[in-house]
């Protein structure tokens, strides 16, 4: 049985992508909706002929409904418990919860059939992030469900959505513990420890999506002078140090990020003088740096394009920064270059990097093509979920 929900009816033909399980209803596809529907409400979506399509969260904006279920069902505690349990079984298959690793993403929005929701796990703390008003309204329920998932030992749930909810919805979310309170904030990734600042840090406090790419970087670090641009909490830096880099320089424009990086390096390699961090703008740093100072450079900038409209500017950004790195890296150098902009696809990013290589007139080969790790799965019906792109390049 399903409790009564308000209804949205689609225009003729606008149910096609939904019948192929794409989880979004765009506002232009809506023919009519019940008067009383408010932002964040649970709604049923029906095709023009009245047939049931799915249940989802309504919001004001270009994506009007995010479908949670293509079956008729209530979206309550049971629903979340089941979806979270299914998400956990994927992570168990990935063996991400180990003695030497307790940080991973448990819920990756559409990739875990929970559009609008992100949950990262750091030891016994879950950091919950809502990207839709509907998830915001159901946050307490989700927190409760998290503590009920068998096999997941969660003592604290921290809610962190001040920067992820649509500003116009005026929900005024407060970052706070929904369950438990502050305990330790030191987590572990592949045997390396780091402070997670889920209270004030960006995203949920750490970028868990670079875990495997950091490990690959470690493999290439021996004997190299490493420059980690846009280092944030220094993830790539401490892997490079473990990999045997002769020197590691970390750069971020945020002084807070530089402090976090220094703390994390100190945590893993106390007193190690190979590392130095600089609070500087990446573009200026690359302009000022001497030719051939580094033989391994990481470029992991923030999303240059948050929306499609910013695409051209973003591509210019990727070209510029990569061209600077190509022109300065030592011969035989290796460049790890990334884009986390969802609006920039793999081919566009590759073209930008290719153009940058040509601008610098270097001979460049692609060694690896990187993407997001398996705890950031891509719903096969929602290819937009593939957002992280990376290339490892050998520069002669
Ligand atoms: N590589 C990091 C994640 C990078 S997030 C990791 O593995 O965890 C992007 C970072 O770029 C943020 O920390 C932000 O402060 C920084 N940033 C943004 N604009 C910048 C600029 N112009 N110069 C240097 N750093 C910048």
């Amino acid at each position: 049985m399903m409790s009564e929900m308000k209804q949205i009816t689609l225009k003729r033909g606008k149910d096609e992508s939904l019948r192929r399980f794409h989880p979004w209803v765009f506002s232009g596809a809506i023919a009519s909706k019940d008067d009383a529907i408010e932002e964040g409400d649970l709604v049923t979506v029906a095709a023009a002929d009245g047939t049931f399509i799915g249940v989802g969260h309504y919001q004001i904006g270009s994506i009007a409904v995010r479908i949670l279920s293509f079956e008729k069902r209530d979206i309550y505690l049971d629903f979340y418990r089941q979806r979270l349990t299914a998400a956990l079984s994927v992570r168990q298959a990935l063996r991400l919860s180990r003695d030497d690793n307790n940080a991973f993403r448990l819920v990756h929005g559409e990739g875990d059939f929970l559009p609008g929701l992100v949950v990262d796990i750091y030891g016994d703390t879950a950091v919950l992030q809502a990207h839709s008003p509907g998830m915001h309204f159901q946050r307490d329920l989700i927190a409760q469900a998290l503590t009920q998932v068998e096999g997941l030992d969660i003592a604290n749930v921290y809610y962190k959505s001040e920067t992820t909810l649509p500003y116009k919805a005026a929900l005024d979310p407060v970052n706070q513990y929904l369950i438990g309170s502050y305990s330790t904030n030191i987590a572990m990734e592949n045997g390396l420890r780091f402070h997670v600042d889920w209270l004030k840090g960006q995203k949920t406090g750490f970028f868990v999506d670079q875990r495997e790419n950091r490990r690959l970087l470690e493999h290439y670090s021996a004997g190299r002078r490493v420059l980690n641009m846009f280092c944030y909490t220094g993830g790539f830096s401490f892997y490079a140090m473990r990999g045997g880099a002769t020197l590691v320089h970390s750069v971020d424009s945020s002084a807070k990020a530089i402090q976090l990086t220094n703390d994390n390096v100190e945590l893993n390699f106390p007193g190690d003088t190979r590392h130095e961090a600089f609070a500087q703008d990446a573009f200026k740093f690359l302009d000022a740096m001497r030719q051939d100072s580094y033989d391994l450079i990481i470029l992991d900038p923030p999303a240059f394009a948050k929306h499609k409209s910013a695409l051209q500017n973003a591509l210019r950004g990727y070209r510029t920064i990569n061209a600077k790195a190509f022109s300065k890296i030592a011969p035989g150098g290796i460049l790890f270059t990334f884009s986390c902009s969802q609006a920039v696809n793999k081919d566009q990013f590759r073209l930008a990097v290719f153009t940058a290589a040509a601008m610098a007139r270097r001979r460049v080969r692609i060694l690896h093509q990187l993407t997001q790790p398996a705890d950031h799965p891509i719903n096969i019906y929602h290819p937009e979920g593939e957002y992280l792109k990376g290339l490892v390049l050998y520069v002669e």
Side-chain angles (χ1 to χ4, degrees):
M1 274 304 288
M2 192 178 152
S3 41
E4 216 37 56
M5 273 184 217
K6 295 163 200 164
Q7 185 166 315
I8 281 183
T9 306
L10 302 176
K11 292 178 184 161
R12 201 164 296 284
K14 292 295 184 187
D15 53 333
E16 246 175 63
S17 65
L18 291 146
R19 291 198 190 273
R20 279 181 272 116
F21 305 113
H22 190 280
W24 293 347
V25 175
F26 290 98
S27 56
I30 296 177
S32 66
K33 59 181 175 60
D34 289 350
D35 289 337
I37 294 183
E38 286 181 34
E39 178 127 63
D41 277 351
L42 280 165
V43 295
T44 58
V45 176
D49 64 5
T51 50
F52 172 87
I53 297 285
V55 186
H57 282 140
Y58 173 75
Q59 82 183 71
I60 297 166
S62 139
I63 303 171
V65 183
R66 293 161 197 261
I67 301 286
L68 297 161
S69 170
F70 288 98
E71 281 150 31
K72 284 189 187 171
R73 61 171 301 169
D74 280 325
I75 305 297
Y76 206 65
L77 193 59
D78 271 350
F79 168 80
Y80 285 111
R81 207 189 294 120
Q82 284 165 17
R83 283 282 202 272
L84 292 171
T85 301
L88 181 65
S89 50
V90 173
R91 277 63 182 180
Q92 283 167 336
L94 301 172
R95 303 186 52 78
L96 287 172
S97 190
R98 308 183 306 259
D99 285 348
D100 68 341
N101 196 91
N102 64 6
F104 59 93
R105 177 154 294 192
L106 176 66
V107 176
H108 186 59
E110 285 82 357
D112 286 291
F113 311 110
L114 287 168
L117 183 69
V118 163
V119 181
D120 284 343
I121 304 291
Y122 301 108
D124 64 357
T125 298
V127 181
L128 198 157
Q129 200 164 59
H131 292 255
S132 69
M135 288 297 182
H136 171 70
F137 291 132
Q138 295 200 291
R139 63 193 180 283
D140 286 311
L141 203 61
I142 298 166
Q144 198 185 334
L146 272 167
T147 61
Q148 295 176 3
V149 174
E150 218 170 299
L152 189 67
D153 264 328
I154 291 301
N156 316 298
V157 179
Y158 189 70
Y159 184 60
K160 192 167 193 292
S161 303
E162 279 179 7
T163 58
T164 55
L165 283 163
Y167 173 72
K168 282 196 212 118
L171 300 166
D172 299 323
V174 177
N175 290 349
Q176 59 179 334
Y177 284 97
L178 301 176
I179 292 173
S181 62
Y182 179 85
S183 54
T184 171
N185 73 340
I186 292 179
M188 184 131 69
E189 185 181 272
N190 290 323
L192 289 161
R193 291 183 303 150
F194 54 89
H195 300 273
V196 199
D197 190 359
W198 50 74
L199 301 183
K200 290 194 245 45
Q202 300 177 40
K203 302 278 168 105
T204 65
F206 191 75
F207 284 81
V208 282
D209 58 357
Q210 290 287 24
R211 182 193 318 108
E212 286 167 20
N213 302 332
R214 290 184 187 120
R215 211 211 259 282
L216 182 67
L217 173 103
E218 177 178 359
H219 174 75
Y220 281 108
S221 297
R224 290 186 187 266
R225 296 163 297 165
V226 177
L227 174 63
N228 181 11
M229 300 300 275
F230 308 95
C231 65
Y232 185 39
T233 55
F236 283 104
S237 304
F238 44 81
Y239 275 75
M241 294 179 75
R242 187 167 68 178
T246 55
L247 153 164
V248 179
H249 286 169
S250 306
V251 178
D252 200 288
S253 55
S254 149
K256 172 83 191 156
I258 290 304
Q259 192 195 323
L260 287 165
T261 296
N262 281 326
D263 290 351
N264 285 334
V265 169
E266 190 57 27
L267 190 63
N268 291 288
F269 303 96
D272 196 321
T273 54
R274 287 178 297 159
H275 180 257
E276 205 176 330
F278 306 86
Q280 276 182 39
D281 175 77
F283 291 82
K284 290 193 183 134
F285 187 94
L286 285 171
D287 282 338
M289 93 192 200
R290 269 185 307 110
Q291 192 72 35
D292 300 347
S293 321
Y294 302 100
D295 14 47
L296 206 177
I297 299 180
I298 301 124
L299 297 177
D300 185 24
F304 283 154
K306 290 240 161 67
H307 301 286
K308 279 252 174 342
S309 58
L311 183 63
Q312 288 313 319
N313 267 335
L315 292 176
R316 200 170 311 125
Y318 290 120
R319 273 198 305 273
T320 307
I321 194 114
N322 281 282
K324 288 183 198 296
F326 278 130
S327 67
K328 298 264 173 101
I329 197 167
I334 292 177
L335 177 64
F336 276 64
T337 183
F338 296 96
S339 161
C340 59
S341 308
Q342 195 163 321
V344 174
N345 71 32
K346 211 186 295 177
D347 291 335
Q348 289 163 327
F349 176 60
R350 196 154 151 170
L351 182 62
V353 175
F354 159 84
T355 308
M359 282 159 72
R361 305 186 63 80
R362 298 294 290 263
R363 197 144 61 176
V364 176
R365 274 173 281 183
I366 299 176
L367 303 184
H368 301 269
Q369 304 181 52
L370 307 178
T371 181
Q372 64 219 54
D375 57 336
H376 295 57
I378 302 156
N379 175 340
I380 204 163
Y381 307 112
H382 180 259
E384 298 94 322
E386 184 173 359
Y387 70 100
L388 185 62
K389 303 152 288 288
L391 292 169
V392 180
L393 304 159
Y394 188 87
V395 188
E396 272 181 36

